[in-house]
């Protein structure tokens, strides 16, 4: 394997790109965006050809893992053509993994095509198995459609991980039902602390916050947990459940800062590169991308952006105020 060429100021190699292909979504989850979101004009979005070009540049600079996000990535018209095109980098060996994070609503349509493109693993965001609560938290979503998508993904041969945002007073009582459901289907499960991303209107971020240290303690009361050293290149810390054999991950940006080993950057669907989820500072790659057909201009801009990557985020709830809250919404950056 070639030596990585994207090294940030703290000597961390950047080998993981999370790419948002759209800010649009068919849900309006209360912790992600407001119900009356104004979406970007289509002219501001990178075309699928431009997304291909920019991803290819990153892969040429040592990115080994590409995760496609949104909004909801599968609502973007023509997106399966993009997945198919990215498959060439898997076949050449330049890319180790092509994957996506989805709300699952469109998986019944696309699971087989995703597998054919080389995708082998998907993350599905699902916070509750209660149909009425699901409708309330997603505002527009329908649980049966998502469950159909989960089954379609498994039938297509995709390994599924469920991502559940831990929300105090909402899904605390479903902790063990979520664990049992995932175990029965052979799926791993990751719990995520709610993060201060964008203005949610009436939503109370501090009231939503459920520390995963408390969640883990509840699991340990009933199950035998073994901490694992392994990582999938993301921020989760994993445990093995002895009784079921499944892995449970905890993503704790607030109670456990994971920045020291950060190997990733995020790019928005408009070509804005965010080198830290918890900072609003970004670098525009759309302008150099469109300024020249010569990728040297784009590559110089990528190197300059990585050179500004901060050491870590500033999220903090400890003072009962949402410190370090970013201005942008999660659907704009990509989950």
């Amino acid at each position: 394997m070639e030596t990585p060429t994207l090294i940030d100021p703290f000597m961390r190699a950047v080998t993981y790109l999370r790419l948002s292909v759209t800010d649009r979504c068919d849900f309006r989850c209360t912790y992600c965006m407001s119900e009356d979101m104004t979406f970007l004009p289509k002219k501001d979005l990178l075309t699928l050809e431009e997304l291909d070009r920019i991803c290819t540049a990153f892969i040429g600079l040592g990115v080994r893992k590409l995760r496609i996000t949104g909004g909801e990535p599968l609502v973007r018209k023509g997106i399966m053509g993009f997945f198919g095109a990215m498959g060439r980098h898997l076949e050449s060996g330049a890319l180790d993994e092509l994957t996506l994070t989805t709300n699952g609503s469109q998986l019944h349509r696309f699971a087989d095509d995703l597998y054919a493109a080389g995708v082998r693993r998907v993350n599905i965001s699902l916070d509750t198995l209660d149909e009425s609560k699901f409708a309330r938290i997603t505002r527009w979503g329908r649980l049966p459609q998502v469950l159909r998508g989960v089954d379609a993904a498994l039938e297509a041969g995709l390994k599924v991980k469920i991502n559940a945002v831990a929300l105090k007073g909402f899904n605390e009582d479903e902790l063990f039902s979520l664990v049992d459901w995932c175990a029965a289907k052979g799926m791993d499960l990751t719990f995520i602390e709610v993060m201060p991303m964008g203005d949610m209107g009436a939503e109370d971020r501090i009231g939503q916050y459920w520390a995963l240290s408390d969640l883990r303690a509840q699991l340990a009361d009933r199950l035998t947990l073994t901490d694992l050293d392994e990582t999938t290149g993301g921020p989760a810390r994993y445990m093995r459940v002895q009784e079921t054999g499944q892995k449970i991950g905890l993503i704790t940006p607030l109670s456990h800062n994971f920045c020291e080993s950060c190997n990733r950057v995020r790019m928005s669907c408009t070509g804005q590169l965010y080198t830290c989820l918890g900072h609003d500072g970004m670098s525009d790659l759309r302008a150099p991308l469109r300024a020249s057909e010569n990728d040297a201009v784009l590559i110089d801009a990528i190197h300059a952006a990585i050179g500004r990557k901060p050491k870590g985020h500033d999220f903090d709830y400890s003072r009962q105020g949402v410190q370090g809250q970013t201005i942008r919404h999660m659907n704009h950056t990509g989950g």
Side-chain angles (χ1 to χ4, degrees), residues 15-27:
T15 58
Y16 180 5
L17 173 64
R18 298 176 66 105
L19 170 67
S20 171
V21 295
T22 180
D23 64 330
R24 294 173 186 270
C25 187
D26 47 353
F27 292 178

Side-chain angles (χ1 to χ4, degrees), residues 125-139:
S125 302
L126 180 61
D127 306 322
T128 177
L129 296 171
D130 180 292
E131 195 166 343
S132 62
K133 287 202 298 189
F134 184 85
R136 192 162 79 245
I137 196 78
T138 64
R139 295 193 181 108

Side-chain angles (χ1 to χ4, degrees), residues 50-299:
E50 287 174 328
L51 291 173
D52 184 321
R53 187 177 156 204
I54 213 162
C55 288
T56 299
F58 270 100
I59 292 165
L61 293 171
V63 161
R64 305 292 305 181
K65 178 176 177 179
L66 177 61
R67 177 174 294 278
I68 307 304
T69 70
E72 169 47 47
L74 298 181
V75 301
R76 176 146 185 187
K77 187 176 180 181
I79 194 62
M80 290 316 304
F82 172 76
F83 274 102
M86 287 298 100
R88 73 186 187 274
H89 298 301
L90 294 169
E91 292 174 4
S92 73
L95 189 65
D96 292 333
E97 185 174 39
L98 172 64
T99 183
L100 81 152
T101 296
T102 173
N103 65 25
S105 68
Q106 306 301 313
L107 273 176
H108 63 283
R109 299 171 55 202
F110 295 123
D112 289 330
D113 292 338
L114 287 166
Y115 191 91
V119 175
R120 293 295 178 264
R121 191 164 65 93
V122 298
N123 289 359
I124 300 176
S125 302
L126 180 61
D127 306 322
T128 177
L129 296 171
D130 180 292
E131 195 166 343
S132 62
K133 287 202 298 189
F134 184 85
R136 192 162 79 245
I137 196 78
T138 64
R139 295 193 181 108
W140 293 9
R142 301 196 317 277
L143 182 62
Q145 184 177 350
V146 173
L147 297 181
R148 182 183 172 195
V150 170
D151 289 339
L154 293 170
E155 289 166 12
L158 297 169
K159 184 172 176 56
V160 174
K161 180 164 73 71
I162 299 297
N163 287 342
V165 176
L167 296 165
K168 194 172 186 178
F170 178 76
N171 57 5
E172 285 171 288
D173 60 338
E174 293 188 73
L175 174 58
F176 292 99
S177 58
L178 280 165
V179 169
D180 292 345
W181 177 69
C182 287
K185 288 184 172 289
M187 302 185 298
D188 293 329
L189 172 62
T190 293
F191 289 101
I192 306 170
E193 282 178 340
V194 67
M195 286 182 273
M197 301 288 294
D199 179 14
M200 297 297 111
E203 294 300 324
D204 175 10
R205 272 293 161 58
I206 297 170
Q208 289 179 329
Y209 176 58
W210 177 17
L212 295 194
S213 54
D214 176 64
L215 183 151
R216 189 193 189 285
Q218 289 187 43
L219 287 174
D221 279 344
R222 193 182 299 186
L223 301 168
T224 308
L225 306 177
T226 304
D227 290 324
L228 302 175
D229 291 332
E230 67 186 82
T231 175
T232 58
R237 292 174 298 156
Y238 290 99
M239 308 169 290
R240 179 79 65 191
V241 180
Q242 183 175 309
E243 288 80 357
T244 64
Q246 77 195 119
K247 281 195 307 184
I248 294 181
L250 304 177
I251 296 181
T252 53
L254 303 162
S255 62
H256 171 78
N257 188 304
F258 48 70
C259 301
E260 64 278 356
S261 59
C262 182
N263 66 340
R264 83 224 42 231
V265 291
R266 289 170 169 82
M267 193 176 73
S268 76
C269 50
T270 57
Q272 295 171 321
L273 189 71
Y274 294 91
T275 54
C276 177
L277 182 61
H279 285 261
D280 279 314
M282 62 85 184
S283 301
D284 176 32
L285 297 184
R286 183 176 61 188
L289 178 73
R290 293 179 174 176
S292 172
E293 293 184 6
N294 183 348
D295 282 345
V297 178
L298 172 62
I299 288 169

